[in-house]
Amino acid sequence: MDLLTANDRHGEYPQSWYAATAEAPGPYPEATGGITCDVCIVGGGFTGLSAALHLAERGYDVVLLEAQRVGFGASGRNGGQVGTGQRLDQDELEQMVGRDDARKLWDLALESVQLVRDMVAEHAPDAGFTDGILHAMHRARYVPEDHAYVRKLNEKYDYGLIRAVDRDEMRELCNSPAYHGGSLDLGAGHTHPLRLAFGMARSAATKGVRIFETSRVTDVAEGAPVSISTPAAMITATHLVWACNGYLGNAEGRVASRVMPINNFIVATEPLGEGFAQSLIKGQHAVADSKFVVNYFRLSEDNRMLFGGAESYGYRFPKDIRKLVSKPMLEVYPQLKDVKVDYAWGGTLGITMNRMPHFERLAGNILSASGYSGHGVAMATLGGKMAAEAIAGQAERFDLMASVPTPRFPGGVAMRWPLLVAAMLWYSMRDKL
């Protein structure tokens, strides 16, 4: 089944609150005829747009190919949360890559958040950036461990923007009976992701990037130069960057064996009014909880509850996304039982076995960055910048990310779905214990 059209119409954005509140650039033309460039980028999300911007600023002639519309995929559908750190915590990274490289990965992650702040300020001020993510523990036994981790970040990583939150303060900040304490990270934040993607696309085009939409890659012939085919064009490029994440499909099998698509879903309620909205989340912070299938939520600029949660493990979205996501939303906020849901949408993201991004040099002139595992607003944006650096001859940071192991899924592409379903059922049971 074709992930690009399994749940969406060709060339159309999903009916999300984001799409309803953002003005799309373009539309950009379909690629046709013979095209030559320094760098061809496949994928018009945060990775591809960031790579295009940073390469154009270095003077490269860049072509960006998007099979649908810029910002169409996870970059324009996600919860908008911009978290610090990597997808794995520092304890796990220290065991995986050693303390020195774990510290380098932490520093890259901090830079990725600052990069998003800078991108918003320079390219998409309408996207906004609001400080603060509240990490909410759904089991009391998780709170001491979370507070110990806060102390580690304070003392060992010199990170003073995160602090512990006890049960009473958690209830004050997030008025839900579901949580027992946690932490507040004021170095993290949230933004309107689709407006950010649109702003990046506009700036890239202004800097000379040739953006082509509805231009799906059908074949790649590796070599020097590399040849990229679409239904109506042949692009000849010195370098190629794969920036597809969850919508890659089988276009590049070496990446598909390590990066798997899964679906996630969000609803947006009707406007709640400022008083009611502030009674649910104080201080405009975003919230992410400790469940394996994370509940993540925040208030929109017009005081809607944007609530994300639930996953599905087939290609097609469920028939009733409202019902699917309303269940965990009402478990967290029973106060919303009589509130109307105005929007419900889904999207496909890319995950890896160990939830760390997958960076790879597939050939001397072909790079890939994907598999952000739900942590992509910041890391995908930095991933694009690091790909641009590598093409310009400064590959140390890209190579550091590529050195982080991302194992192949057992059984390859054919077996990854049933194995993931079994694993997710187990974790779903664990969340209930």
Side-chain angles (χ1 to χ4, degrees):
M1 186 174 291
D2 182 5
L3 284 171
L4 285 163
T5 56
N7 304 290
D8 299 284
R9 294 182 177 179
H10 184 61
E12 295 184 14
Y13 292 101
Q15 294 183 348
S16 68
W17 178 81
Y18 295 136
T21 55
E23 183 178 350
Y28 299 105
E30 180 183 359
T32 58
I35 300 170
T36 61
C37 60
D38 295 329
V39 185
C40 179
I41 298 169
V42 182
F46 289 139
T47 303
L49 292 168
S50 177
L53 264 173
H54 286 98
L55 285 164
E57 289 170 352
R58 290 174 176 265
Y60 286 84
D61 179 19
V62 181
V63 164
L64 186 148
L65 303 175
E66 167 55 49
Q68 288 269 17
R69 302 288 307 278
V70 292
F72 165 87
S75 295
R77 308 185 190 209
N78 63 79
Q81 298 197 15
V82 187
T84 55
Q86 300 285 346
R87 181 63 173 81
L88 294 181
D89 66 32
Q90 292 306 117
D91 293 329
E92 294 171 286
L93 287 177
E94 288 173 1
Q95 294 179 5
M96 180 185 294
V97 300
R99 293 187 65 180
D100 289 346
D101 280 355
R103 179 60 190 248
K104 292 176 184 177
L105 292 171
W106 170 260
D107 291 341
L108 283 179
L110 289 186
E111 180 186 339
S112 74
V113 177
Q114 185 58 50
L115 180 60
V116 172
R117 292 176 184 269
D118 294 343
M119 287 286 189
V120 168
E122 182 176 358
H123 304 296
D126 61 332
F129 193 101
T130 303
D131 293 338
I133 294 181
L134 191 63
H135 301 287
M137 302 297 110
H138 79 289
R139 293 288 181 259
R141 64 181 181 271
Y142 295 168
V143 175
E145 181 180 351
D146 184 65
H147 288 183
Y149 186 61
V150 169
R151 289 193 297 273
K152 177 171 183 169
L153 294 180
N154 294 160
E155 297 168 6
K156 302 296 184 182
Y157 284 84
D158 308 310
Y159 185 62
L161 294 175
I162 191 170
R163 64 177 179 83
V165 172
D166 64 19
R167 182 169 187 155
D168 289 342
E169 187 180 10
M170 178 62 70
R171 188 63 183 264
E172 180 183 357
L173 294 173
C174 174
N175 188 15
S176 168
Y179 303 121
H180 302 266
S183 54
L184 176 60
D185 186 353
L186 291 174
H190 54 98
T191 189
H192 190 304
L194 189 56
R195 288 180 187 164
L196 175 56
F198 286 170
M200 292 168 69
R202 289 188 179 96
S203 291
T206 299
K207 294 177 186 295
V209 175
R210 288 176 283 170
I211 299 175
F212 297 103
E213 295 181 319
T214 63
S215 300
R216 181 174 187 158
V217 171
T218 56
D219 186 60
V220 171
E222 295 187 7
V226 59
S227 298
I228 303 100
S229 300
T230 74
M234 173 68 75
I235 299 91
T236 303
T238 307
H239 301 272
L240 170 64
V241 178
W242 286 102
C244 300
N245 206 38
Y247 289 87
L248 174 70
N250 292 320
E252 176 35 76
R254 291 167 292 183
V255 176
S257 68
R258 300 175 189 270
V259 178
M260 175 179 172
I262 65 168
N263 303 321
N264 202 264
F265 307 97
I266 303 178
V267 299
T269 69
E270 64 185 335
L272 304 176
E274 185 173 358
F276 185 23
Q278 287 295 313
S279 75
L280 299 175
I281 304 176
K282 186 178 180 179
Q284 294 293 328
H285 305 311
V287 185
D289 72 16
S290 56
K291 289 191 171 184
F292 185 82
V293 180
V294 179
N295 292 317
Y296 53 95
F297 45 97
R298 63 191 180 98
L299 298 173
S300 68
E301 62 196 39
D302 56 352
N303 291 308
R304 302 172 188 269
M305 175 62 69
L306 304 181
F307 193 100
E311 293 179 342
S312 71
Y313 312 112
Y315 283 130
R316 290 199 179 278
F317 294 168
K319 292 182 179 179
D320 194 342
I321 295 174
R322 282 175 170 81
K323 182 178 179 180
L324 180 71
V325 183
S326 290
K327 183 177 185 295
M329 182 177 74
L330 294 179
E331 290 173 353
V332 173
Y333 284 119
Q335 305 97 305
L336 295 174
K337 62 181 177 63
D338 296 321
V339 169
K340 180 185 174 186
V341 171
D342 281 348
Y343 300 90
W345 68 95
T348 303
L349 62 147
I351 65 167
T352 62
M353 279 281 289
N354 61 8
R355 301 303 190 264
M356 285 298 289
H358 176 61
F359 284 55
E360 186 174 359
R361 188 182 292 273
L362 297 167
N365 60 345
I366 301 177
L367 304 177
S368 176
S370 61
Y372 301 105
S373 303
H375 204 66
V377 179
M379 281 309 302
T381 305
L382 183 61
K385 180 181 180 180
M386 291 191 294
E389 292 171 351
I391 288 170
Q394 300 167 327
E396 294 84 0
R397 285 145 53 95
F398 186 93
D399 289 345
L400 172 64
M401 290 302 303
S403 72
V404 178
T406 48
R408 290 182 175 86
F409 284 91
V413 174
M415 287 298 296
R416 62 188 183 178
W417 281 106
L419 289 172
L420 179 73
V421 170
M424 295 305 293
L425 288 172
W426 187 89
Y427 281 112
S428 178
M429 292 175 60
R430 191 193 70 169
D431 278 344
K432 294 178 171 64
L433 297 176

